[in-house]
Each structure stands twice: as structure tokens, then as C-alpha cells.
Amino acid sequence: LNNEIETIEKQLETQEFENKLLVKEAQTPDEKDSPSILKEFRIKELKENRDLLRSNEKYVYIETFVRKSRFNYEFGDIQKFRELLDYRDLEFSDDDLLWLIQEEIKDQEYSEFKEEILSQNPKTLTNYIEILIKTYPDPQNQIELLKKLLKQQDIGCKSNLKDEIEKIRKQLEITEFENKILNKNTSNTGLLPVETEDLDDAYISFNIGNLYYDLGKLEKALTYYDKALYIYPDFIDVWKYRGLIYFTSGRLQKAAACYNQILSLDPKYPELWVDIGIIFFEMGKINEAKACYEKATEMNPCYKSEDLAIKTCQFLENRPLSLQKLKFYLELASSASWESSDPTPPLSRIMRIITKNFKD
């Protein structure tokens, strides 16, 4: 009986440990089915491996790839980068490589944030917040970076930093309005910027979005595309790639809304009509799809169908199913075999469908 009791006690201890190990906490979609305890061990291991890479001077590959991809997406080819790492005997799983790239993006963003804020020599918490508000269009998105910087600089931080930022932002707006009322000369120290002149930040966010798209992180890519559009709302390529992400994920209404935005910015964009055409094709609107393709070839009669959609094809390289649909549409639309008994609707009808029927 003593032996049986001891056996059952061990079983209960083992079961209790298993329950603790596999306990699931509130998780993001990316963390689904990843037990928190195991995840902590894995991240610790990855951080140790990253430190080892740095000590061996091999981390430079990750660091340089992220930095150059952010400024010039020509370097953002994940497949070529993996081949380079393999050639240099640096083998990573997809998950490990993704973690390293994500962490390096965070590190570089923080370094740039830190340099930008400290370059203006802030002394007090209020100084830091004022600089933050004047430098970033949406300062609330930078709260975590500001907290980290304040901690490093040994600056006391109030419990609710979000409220403090909003309070100082309103004070700056009131000061700016007062100066206008009294016809005072506004200086840079008291002016709240209405818009951002520096488009480099928009292109950086755009390139990071492309990088996350290639890594299969579509929602993360959309987040960075949104940042780019916040800075530069007329960024046509961002609207286009945003639309393509919605197309590949089956959200056709959102995709069409993006293309409608491009039409309002530049209706003479032949490749756009190809993209709109494939959405109509997916929805079974054959006449509209055919008319869109004809509109594209009318704008650029010297191009082949593949040339018209070259950017779209490149963007869909990692989405073979969507790429196959596009190529099938191009082949069908450019052939004489695609016939319909109904007359092709006028382009004005297509525009009405886009603006009226494609609203979420």
C-alpha cells in the first residue's frame, strides 16, 4: 500500500507540473498555442544566441540587412538573405530568423528615437515630452520608447505618461493659437507641427512593411503601411501594396477601397487597372474585369500583359495561389477566347461599383 501511495503521489506531482507548464495565458494571435513558460525559455535561449553572434562578429549580417532594407528595399530579399546566411554557415529556423529581424528592427527604431530626442538636449520630463510631440505626428505611439529612454537617462516618469503627453500637447496647441491671435512671432520651441515634411520616415515605414510582408506577417506589414500613410497620405505605392495584402487575404472590399484611393490620386496608372480587374474577376464580374484590362492596355498599348502587372507579380511572389490567379486572369483577358454576350459596361459604371459597393 505504501508503494502504491508513493506511485500515485509521483503521478499527481507530474500531472501538476504538466498543468503549470502548459498553462495558457492571454496571448496575441502570433503567440497562440505557445505555452508561456516554454516561450520564456526559448526567448532566453535566442537572446543568448544573439549575444554569441555579436561576440563572434557574425550578428553584423542581421544588423546590416535590417538597416539597409529599411532605407532601400532592394536589399529586402529574404530568400537571398537566407542563402547568404547558409553560405556563411549561419543556419536559422524561420521562427528564429523572424525573431532576430523583429528584435533588430526594434533596436534600430529605439536608437534612432534616442538620437533624435537627445540631440535637442532635454533636461526635464516636460522637455522630453515637448520634443516628442514636436517630432512625431502621433506621440502616443512612442510611449514605450520614451519610457525606456527616461529610465536610461534617470528621469522621473509619472505613472500615467499618456495623460501627461495629452496635457502638454493641449498646452502647446493653446500657446500656438494664442500667438496667432496676438500676432506674435512663433518660434520653433512653441510650435506644434501640423504635418511632417521629412518623407524619409514614410519610406522607412514602407520598406519595413514590405519586409514583414515577405516574412508572412501581414498584419504587422499593414501597421507599418498605416504609419507611412499617416506621414504621407498620397503615397501611392503604399496604397497599392496595402490593397494587394487585402486581396491576398480575401478582403476584397478593403482592397477595392485602397485602389479607389489611388484612382483619386492618379487615375492614369495602368497597372492599377490590372489590379482592379483581378478583384472583379475574383467576384465573378467578368465584364467589369475585362473592361479594366482593356483600360490598362489602352493607356499603355505597347506593353505586354506581364509588363503591365510586373510590380504586382513581384509582390505576390510569396503568395503562389494569388500569383496563379493573377496570371490566369492576364492570360484570359489578353486572349480572344474571353467572350461575353453582354456588352462591356462603360468605365463610369466600374467607378460607381468601386465607390458604392466596396464599402466595409
Side-chain angles (χ1 to χ4, degrees), residues 65-318:
F65 171 74
V66 170
R67 185 177 67 253
K68 291 195 172 182
S69 297
R70 293 178 64 200
F71 293 96
N72 185 351
Y73 195 61
E74 177 186 349
F75 297 97
D77 191 323
I78 297 292
Q79 184 58 40
K80 287 184 179 178
F81 183 53
R82 290 196 67 90
E83 291 173 0
L84 170 61
L85 294 177
D86 291 342
Y87 179 75
R88 293 300 181 189
D89 296 323
L90 295 169
E91 296 183 3
F92 300 102
S93 68
D94 290 342
D95 289 341
D96 288 359
L97 182 59
L98 174 62
W99 184 87
L100 286 168
I101 290 174
Q102 286 180 316
E103 290 302 302
E104 183 56 30
I105 288 174
K106 292 177 185 177
D107 288 347
Q108 291 189 19
E109 286 182 333
Y110 174 69
S111 296
E112 292 170 5
F113 174 85
K114 179 180 178 180
E115 182 180 356
E116 180 68 35
I117 299 295
L118 294 184
S119 66
Q120 301 182 54
N121 300 315
K123 302 297 182 184
T124 65
L125 174 62
T126 301
N127 294 153
Y128 277 88
I129 294 177
E130 287 179 348
I131 294 170
L132 177 76
I133 293 170
K134 297 168 190 173
T135 306
Y136 294 93
D138 193 353
Q140 297 289 358
N141 288 339
Q142 315 297 326
I143 286 180
E144 293 305 317
L145 295 179
L146 181 61
K147 285 181 179 179
K148 183 176 179 180
L149 179 57
L150 292 173
K151 184 177 181 181
Q152 285 187 351
Q153 300 299 311
D154 198 24
I155 300 293
C157 178
K158 296 188 177 181
S159 58
N160 198 332
L161 196 56
K162 182 177 179 180
D163 290 345
E164 188 66 17
I165 290 173
E166 186 62 21
K167 174 184 172 183
I168 294 177
R169 185 187 68 79
K170 288 181 178 178
Q171 290 174 350
L172 288 174
E173 286 181 341
I174 291 171
T175 301
E176 181 190 5
F177 181 72
E178 180 184 28
N179 289 335
K180 287 180 179 179
I181 291 288
L182 300 178
N183 294 319
K184 292 183 178 180
N185 293 323
T186 56
S187 64
N188 288 333
T189 57
L191 181 63
L192 184 66
V194 177
E195 60 184 36
T196 304
E197 297 285 336
D198 189 4
L199 296 182
D200 287 345
D201 290 341
Y203 278 94
I204 289 172
S205 294
F206 172 55
N207 287 330
I208 295 178
N210 292 341
L211 187 60
Y212 273 116
Y213 173 83
D214 286 346
L215 291 168
K217 296 287 183 178
L218 301 188
E219 295 305 318
K220 197 81 172 177
L222 287 171
T223 298
Y224 277 94
Y225 287 156
D226 288 343
K227 286 184 179 181
L229 290 174
Y230 185 92
I231 298 170
Y232 181 29
D234 295 346
F235 201 150
I236 286 181
D237 281 345
V238 178
W239 283 110
K240 174 181 172 61
Y241 290 167
R242 201 165 176 262
L244 286 172
I245 285 184
Y246 287 135
F247 164 69
T248 59
S249 57
R251 290 174 278 183
L252 301 184
Q253 292 182 338
K254 284 183 175 289
C258 291
Y259 296 143
N260 185 48
Q261 181 66 26
I262 299 175
L263 285 175
S264 67
L265 297 171
D266 182 14
K268 297 180 179 179
Y269 185 9
E271 187 174 289
L272 172 65
W273 287 101
V274 174
D275 295 342
I276 295 175
I278 191 173
I279 291 182
F280 280 126
F281 182 64
E282 281 289 286
M283 297 178 70
K285 296 180 180 291
I286 304 301
N287 288 322
E288 287 84 348
K290 177 77 169 176
C292 288
Y293 178 80
E294 289 175 348
K295 178 68 175 178
T297 53
E298 176 188 324
M299 289 182 172
N300 260 315
C302 59
Y303 286 128
K304 298 178 181 178
S305 59
E306 292 82 1
D307 296 328
L308 282 170
I310 188 166
K311 284 187 178 180
T312 303
C313 288
Q314 289 173 347
F315 193 79
L316 296 179
E317 280 182 353
N318 295 330

Side-chain angles (χ1 to χ4, degrees), residues 322-355:
S322 298
L323 182 60
Q324 183 181 358
K325 289 177 181 178
L326 173 63
K327 289 184 175 180
F328 179 69
Y329 164 69
L330 291 173
E331 182 180 351
L332 188 60
S334 60
S335 69
S337 61
W338 189 354
E339 299 292 344
S340 173
S341 58
D342 297 328
T344 301
L347 214 54
S348 59
R349 181 182 169 193
I350 294 176
M351 296 298 295
R352 284 199 301 271
I353 293 175
I354 293 174
T355 55

